Amino acid sequence: ESDGARARDLAQLPSDIEAGLVELDTFGKRCGGLQAVSGTLPSGGGISPRLAVLRMLFRSKGLPEALPQAQFCLWLQASGLFDRVKESVEDIVAPKGKDFFAELHNMYVSPVLAKALLEADPSFASDIKQVRSLLRVQFPLQDDLPTSDFIHIVRETLEGDSRLPATLIALDEIQLYIGDSGRRSTDVQEMAEALCKQLDSRVLLIGAGQTALAASVPLLERLRDRFTVSVELSDTDVETVTRKVVLAKKADKRSPIEAVLDQNRGEIDRQLMGTRIATRSEDRDTIVDDYPLLPVRRRFWEHAIRAVDVPGTSSQLRTQIRMVHDAVRETADAALGTVVAADFLFEQQRPALLQSGALLKEIDETIQALDDGTPDGVLAKRLCELIFLIRKLPREEGTDVGVRSTPEMLADLLVRSLATDGVTLRRDVPRVLEHLIEEGKLIMVEDGEYSLQTRQSSEWNREYRNQQTRLNANLPSLASKRAALISARCNEVLHGIRLTHGQSKEPRKLIIHFGSEPPMTDGTEIPVWIRDGWGESESTVVADAREAGNESPTIFVYIPKASAEDLQKAIVSYAAAEATINMRGTPTTREPQEAYEAMRTTMSRAEQTRDQIIRDVVDGAKVYQGGGNEQLELTLTAKVEAAAHASMDRLFPEFNDADDSHWKAVIDHARKGNEGALSAVGWDGPVEQNRVTAAVLREVGLGRQGKEIRAALSASPYGWGRDAVDAALIL
């Protein structure tokens, strides 16, 4: 500045930064001073990175940006001819409104420049024609240049008549420059290495971009060794900058703002209640700093920007500063208590959304046409803009913030005047939404949400509704789908039950049976008879359990008929969406993509709702033992498992008489041909003889193969011969 003030004197810097700047000044005095060079690399490539850096360097030193003209000026300075040639040229071109550097654009053909050079150095050439020819040869146009020439020109430009200064070179938009080009990535790597190693360690190179280096572009990974210090702005850093730069408030103005916010605390606290971005206790610490932005709205913006920002440019600090600045400017003349509405983001980002394709032209034209100048027209336009943003938010588990395009949340986000808008909007929003549905501008989706209607979505939605009508009319199909879902869930829940009986750990098997007819078994399996409230009443199931009696091993399961309408709606919605997608197919063009994605979302949400209801319904199942006693454990698995243990004893009532942990060893000895199988495990007394006798008479209860038991008992010291064993088994 003219008064000598420096940026570092005006900014509020941390002490460590101030100390670093003092150290930098000291270092600059020891070498050739301090020099800063910055610029943006051309998006998508363009000129080589070496030429791009030279352009920035030439501009910082007051030289022409083009390489031939800059080299010519450097040569003139080194030869001591610069001032004489410049004065001579400007004496001729000044009356024409031009200067020396403007004339340099025509360096190869300018007679004025050639004549001035020849007058300053007659030995340079014999005539003007030869001057032009020599200039073209000595300072040619180049698309690129070797690294050695690049370093030579950098050193020549920076050193001048003194030593090489401590130089900072900041290159912005490295990601956009490299893109997907391996060649440009290599060029940047070689240039960075040369600058940092071949200039006496006097150059500090900074690479800046929209995100952290190498975070989003694999080709940047190789540059990490060249940029050893990583600095990434977090959301907190961005908020801090916007608060101090754009939203800063004078000390005497904070109290009135705080008083107005306290007066309207109820309206502020109800904003998006129940969502993950609703009002928080820590908001009180920043709400005055953020005003006229509400913390809830700010968080909504952050998530909405990420959802619609296809190229990723809106996450940049400068973009967010501009957004906040525009928002503040919109409310600058409004009364205290006016806040920035959430739909402002749509208007501010609209050009970028159209350019990136996130906002289809058809949808944009529909939204813009809604504003007919009436209050309802303005509100309709604002509602549709906000619905567009909300419907773009991710709904996957873990990323879903819970914001929905319902009348309540839409009204919350549209409030501008904290004192007066809330009541009016919550009255008018539902009415205007219904009117938009009648006009075919919006469609109603699940959970009371609204979505924008396009020509393509209209066709998809019409097919979806037709499928719903067909499915609702086909009651047998609905019953079949519901029964299949319940059966699948029951099998999933009961699949993990593993039963073993007694000390011998005899495996037992559950047989899952569905339907109105009793299960049929071979007498060795435990039947689990499952019925639901859509086909049977609970009283029928209980009566069947009581009629079976206390000796019956059958387990009776009753699944109550709960959430029947919601379940049918979810089953129909899923099947209708699936049929619509199968019928219309996956779109290959951009226009129907949104309709396809909306139908996929409908199907996914219906599936989630359907499966959750099925889980809840099955988890609420009641389990009865034969005889009518109900199992009271907490889960269906625990209930059936407890009932199954009782059923094992009912199925094999005298199993305990033959049960023993030694049976496995007896069978193993018998299989190996050991005639003393019983003696081998110490079964030599009357108790053991009784156990053996019981085992023979109840072979099925133990589940052993007859020949194995015969082999074991035939060698018994108690005279159990093979004929006696066979006779006992027959009995």
Side-chain angles (χ1 to χ4, degrees):
E1 295 293 337
S2 58
D3 59 358
R6 299 176 300 176
R8 68 177 71 174
D9 299 324
L10 300 176
Q12 297 178 356
L13 300 175
S15 58
D16 57 334
I17 300 296
E18 291 182 347
L21 291 172
V22 172
E23 184 178 352
L24 181 62
D25 289 339
T26 304
F27 178 73
K29 292 175 182 178
R30 293 202 305 264
C31 52
L34 301 175
Q35 178 73 28
V37 179
S38 65
T40 302
L41 290 176
S43 177
I47 63 175
S48 77
R50 286 173 284 269
L51 287 180
V53 169
L54 287 177
R55 283 174 178 252
M56 302 173 198
L57 182 59
F58 294 152
R59 184 171 61 248
S60 72
K61 301 296 286 187
L63 296 172
E65 292 188 21
L67 178 61
Q69 285 83 349
Q71 285 183 294
F72 175 62
C73 290
L74 290 172
W75 175 77
L76 288 176
Q77 292 173 352
S79 303
L81 302 175
F82 183 82
D83 292 336
R84 291 166 58 189
V85 173
K86 183 174 182 292
E87 291 175 3
S88 179
V89 170
E90 290 186 341
D91 286 343
I92 299 174
V93 301
K96 300 178 182 179
K98 299 173 65 177
D99 60 10
F100 172 72
F101 292 106
E103 190 65 22
L104 277 178
H105 288 296
N106 303 315
M107 183 176 71
Y108 297 140
V109 297
S110 171
V112 175
L113 189 61
K115 181 180 178 181
L117 179 57
L118 197 57
E119 290 176 353
D121 184 7
S123 64
F124 182 76
S126 58
D127 54 26
I128 290 178
K129 181 178 181 181
Q130 189 179 14
V131 170
R132 294 174 177 172
S133 178
L134 289 174
L135 289 177
R136 186 175 289 106
V137 172
Q138 189 170 349
F139 309 110
L141 291 170
Q142 300 181 70
D143 294 331
D144 200 356
L145 69 167
T147 300
S148 58
D149 292 349
F150 167 71
I151 292 298
H152 173 75
I153 296 172
V154 171
R155 185 180 290 275
E156 181 183 10
T157 305
L158 289 173
E159 284 183 343
D161 297 330
S162 61
R163 292 172 296 170
L164 188 67
T167 304
L168 181 147
I169 300 177
L171 306 178
D172 196 12
E173 305 295 10
I174 282 188
Q175 287 104 320
L176 292 179
Y177 173 77
I178 291 178
D180 58 357
S181 171
R183 172 62 183 276
R184 289 195 290 270
S185 178
T186 302
D187 286 345
V188 172
Q189 180 184 1
E190 293 176 352
M191 180 195 68
E193 184 174 356
L195 286 171
C196 297
K197 289 186 176 181
Q198 300 181 33
L199 290 171
D200 308 333
S201 298
R202 298 288 177 82
V203 173
L204 175 64
L205 185 62
I206 296 177
Q210 297 165 9
T211 56
L213 190 65
S216 58
V217 182
L219 290 172
L220 291 176
E221 184 66 34
R222 65 182 69 173
L223 298 179
R224 298 192 67 177
D225 291 338
R226 304 292 171 241
F227 297 87
T228 56
V229 179
S230 176
V231 179
E232 182 177 5
L233 287 177
S234 66
D235 290 340
T236 303
D237 296 325
V238 173
E239 291 175 0
T240 301
V241 172
T242 54
R243 284 168 184 154
K244 290 186 176 181
V245 174
V246 183
L247 299 171
K249 299 169 179 66
K250 295 180 180 179
D252 61 333
K253 303 299 182 183
R254 295 180 62 87
S255 294
I257 295 174
E258 189 171 3
V260 169
L261 295 176
D262 285 340
Q263 292 172 6
N264 296 280
R265 181 61 58 187
E267 179 62 47
I268 295 172
D269 288 346
R270 70 173 295 167
Q271 296 276 302
L272 302 184
M273 189 178 297
T275 68
R276 287 173 52 195
I277 61 173
T279 301
R280 303 166 183 170
S281 58
E282 58 265 28
D283 289 345
R284 291 180 177 271
D285 299 331
T286 59
I287 190 168
V288 176
D289 294 325
D290 277 343
Y291 182 82
L293 301 180
L294 293 178
V296 174
R297 305 267 177 89
R298 187 164 196 156
R299 289 191 285 270
F300 171 77
W301 277 13
E302 291 171 0
H303 288 279
I305 287 173
R306 294 192 189 103
V308 301
D309 183 24
V310 176
T313 56
S314 293
S315 60
Q316 298 178 72
L317 175 60
R318 63 173 177 269
T319 305
Q320 296 201 35
I321 290 177
R322 177 173 57 85
M323 290 168 52
V324 175
H325 176 267
D326 291 347
V328 172
R329 183 172 58 185
E330 185 181 72
T331 59
D333 297 329
L336 193 60
T338 302
V339 294
V340 180
D343 60 300
F344 171 80
L345 177 63
F346 180 92
E347 283 298 328
Q348 206 276 343
Q349 289 288 299
R350 180 185 165 216
L353 293 174
L354 287 168
Q355 185 176 7
S356 67
L359 174 62
L360 299 178
K361 185 177 180 181
E362 172 190 350
I363 295 177
D364 180 64
E365 290 175 349
T366 300
I367 293 175
Q368 300 306 314
L370 292 173
D371 186 359
D372 56 5
T374 64
D376 279 2
V378 173
L379 180 55
K381 175 175 174 288
R382 295 182 65 201
L383 282 168
C384 289
E385 291 173 346
L386 196 51
I387 289 171
F388 171 83
L389 295 175
I390 293 176
R391 295 290 293 176
K392 289 292 184 180
L393 294 174
R395 303 295 179 94
E396 294 78 12
E397 186 175 354
T399 59
D400 187 357
V401 295
V403 179
R404 299 290 184 264
S405 52
T406 60
E408 296 79 12
M409 291 192 184
L410 290 170
D412 286 346
L413 293 170
L414 290 176
V415 168
R416 285 176 176 158
S417 172
L418 294 174
T420 61
D421 278 1
V423 175
T424 303
L425 284 170
R426 292 180 181 94
R427 179 196 64 205
D428 293 341
V429 164
R431 176 178 56 79
V432 174
L433 288 172
E434 289 302 317
H435 181 65
L436 289 171
I437 285 183
E438 294 173 3
E439 291 186 337
K441 300 297 190 298
L442 294 178
I443 57 174
M444 172 74 79
V445 293
E446 290 80 357
D447 303 325
E449 277 196 85
Y450 293 82
S451 181
L452 293 170
Q453 180 82 278
T454 65
R455 181 179 58 83
Q456 290 287 345
S457 65
S458 177
E459 295 174 0
W460 281 66
N461 189 60
R462 184 163 51 251
E463 178 60 34
Y464 171 72
R465 297 301 178 191
N466 291 338
Q467 293 289 344
Q468 279 187 314
T469 301
R470 295 191 192 100
L471 288 165
N472 279 316
N474 191 348
L475 297 181
S477 176
L478 282 175
S480 176
K481 292 179 185 296
R482 181 185 60 248
L485 290 167
I486 292 176
S487 298
R489 178 58 183 171
C490 288
N491 284 316
E492 179 183 351
V493 169
L494 302 178
H495 176 72
I497 296 178
R498 296 290 182 267
L499 299 174
T500 59
H501 199 179
Q503 298 180 46
S504 55
K505 298 188 182 301
E506 186 65 29
R508 303 300 183 200
K509 184 178 180 181
L510 289 176
I511 297 298
I512 311 300
H513 175 75
F514 299 90
S516 57
E517 296 298 323
M520 303 295 294
T521 68
D522 60 4
T524 64
E525 301 161 334
I526 301 173
V528 181
W529 186 8
I530 301 176
R531 286 172 285 180
D532 59 59
W534 284 268
E536 297 282 1
S537 65
E538 182 177 2
S539 59
T540 300
V541 174
V542 173
D544 288 343
R546 289 173 178 169
E547 183 179 351
N550 294 329
E551 304 299 321
S552 172
T554 301
I555 299 171
F556 299 83
V557 177
Y558 175 73
I559 299 175
K561 182 179 180 180
S563 304
E565 293 183 3
D566 291 339
L567 178 58
Q568 178 171 327
K569 180 181 177 182
I571 292 173
V572 169
S573 181
Y574 175 84
E578 183 180 41
T580 301
I581 290 174
N582 292 337
M583 178 170 292
R584 300 194 66 88
T586 303
T588 56
T589 56
R590 190 180 70 180
E591 283 72 14
Q593 188 66 34
E594 183 165 308
Y596 169 78
E597 293 297 336
M599 195 58 63
R600 291 275 302 176
T601 300
T602 298
M603 186 173 74
S604 175
R605 295 175 62 190
E607 182 180 27
Q608 293 176 8
T609 302
R610 179 200 69 188
D611 292 349
Q612 184 59 54
I613 293 175
I614 289 293
R615 285 193 291 269
D616 293 341
V617 167
V618 171
D619 288 347
K622 296 184 177 182
V623 176
Y624 298 93
Q625 196 80 54
N629 290 329
E630 182 180 358
Q631 299 294 141
L632 301 177
E633 285 74 16
L634 295 179
T635 65
L636 176 60
T637 303
K639 293 174 183 178
V640 171
E641 190 169 7
H645 282 95
S647 292
M648 288 190 292
D649 293 333
R650 292 184 178 191
L651 188 62
F652 308 108
E654 297 179 346
F655 175 80
N656 291 331
D657 294 338
D659 184 33
D660 195 283
S661 60
H662 290 86
W663 266 112
K664 184 178 186 303
V666 171
I667 298 300
D668 288 343
H669 281 292
R671 285 175 175 170
K672 295 175 182 177
N674 184 356
E675 295 183 354
L678 299 181
S679 299
V681 297
W683 282 6
D684 295 325
V687 174
E688 285 76 13
Q689 184 179 17
N690 291 337
R691 180 174 291 114
V692 171
T693 303
V696 172
L697 297 176
R698 283 171 286 282
E699 178 186 351
V700 173
L702 274 172
R704 308 299 182 187
Q705 295 296 324
K707 64 180 182 179
E708 295 169 345
I709 294 182
R710 288 184 180 90
L713 302 186
S714 295
S716 170
Y718 300 104
W720 282 86
R722 189 174 300 276
D723 294 340
V725 171
D726 289 338
L729 287 173
I730 292 173
L731 292 175

